[in-house]
Amino acid sequence: MSERRALLRRIRVWLVVFIVCLVLSGLTAFPLVHEVRWAEDLLSSPASPVPEHVPALMDWITRVRTGLDRADTDHPFVLYGTDWLAFAHLVIAVAFYGPYRDPVRNIWVVEFGMIACAGIIPLALICGPIRDIPFWWSVIDMSFGVFGVIPLLIVRRRIKELEALPADPAPAPGGTPASVA
């Protein structure tokens, strides 16, 4: 396998990991009400140490579940916003098919993703307090940007390496690489 093909393969593996994470993140936003109920049930079970050792987390999960239940019952249209959040994740994931197909030509999508990851931090720091989100939860939100940018930095670096490599020689009509004169 040529160095170019090996590099392209590594780029694609990282992109698939990133795309899968985006899709999973998006899909989990659809059933949010049920997921939070499930999380509260799990965390408040007799076997869970959370209520005793991390009461702030338990209080927060209960508060979120109460709010989501009320919204779901009285104002379900509010939850339509989380449907759009989910859809946005899925659409952004589709955009990364461009770099998967042609990384050098579509490096801008990777750079766009890096900018989006960086944008999570000021969003959480500004909107978190406005929406009465505990700071520790905003830190969790910011971690998505921090951890999300890591594969994108790796992909961008590898795309730049790929761009610097000479092109593989084109196959001759018989299927073997043409000789370079």
Side-chain angles (χ1 to χ4, degrees):
M1 181 182 304
S2 73
E3 183 180 354
R4 185 174 194 77
R5 286 178 131 186
L7 195 51
L8 183 58
R9 178 187 239 193
R10 287 192 297 269
I11 289 167
R12 286 180 171 164
V13 166
W14 277 108
L15 285 170
V16 166
V17 167
F18 190 78
I19 290 168
V20 166
C21 288
L22 270 174
V23 167
L24 291 175
S25 180
L27 292 177
T28 61
F30 285 116
L32 194 57
V33 173
H34 302 288
E35 289 170 340
V36 173
R37 285 181 193 153
W38 174 79
E40 183 184 38
D41 289 345
L42 180 70
L43 294 175
S44 64
S45 74
S48 172
V50 173
E52 181 183 345
H53 297 295
V54 195
L57 174 60
M58 198 66 240
D59 293 344
W60 175 247
I61 295 296
T62 299
R63 182 175 178 207
V64 170
R65 196 255 322 133
T66 301
L68 285 171
D69 281 346
R70 284 187 189 151
D72 192 35
T73 301
D74 301 335
H75 311 288
F77 55 86
V78 172
L79 297 176
Y80 190 50
T82 61
D83 297 337
W84 279 103
L85 170 71
F87 178 72
H89 279 77
L90 299 176
V91 168
I92 293 167
V94 169
F96 280 88
Y97 180 65
Y100 182 89
R101 282 187 44 209
D102 187 347
V104 173
R105 185 175 187 187
N106 293 297
I107 192 172
W108 69 270
V109 176
V110 174
E111 292 168 342
F112 163 79
M114 292 167 64
I115 292 166
C117 286
I120 291 171
I121 294 170
L123 177 82
L125 290 173
I126 294 166
C127 295
I130 291 170
R131 302 289 183 208
D132 201 23
I133 306 296
F135 180 72
W136 58 267
W137 193 265
S138 293
V139 171
I140 292 170
D141 289 340
M142 288 184 279
S143 73
F144 283 93
V146 172
F147 291 116
V149 80
I150 292 170
L152 296 178
L153 285 167
I154 293 167
V155 166
R156 186 181 185 283
R157 185 177 68 229
R158 296 247 158 83
I159 290 172
K160 289 297 189 179
E161 290 172 18
L162 182 67
E163 185 178 36
L165 287 176
D168 282 340
T176 58
S179 61
V180 179

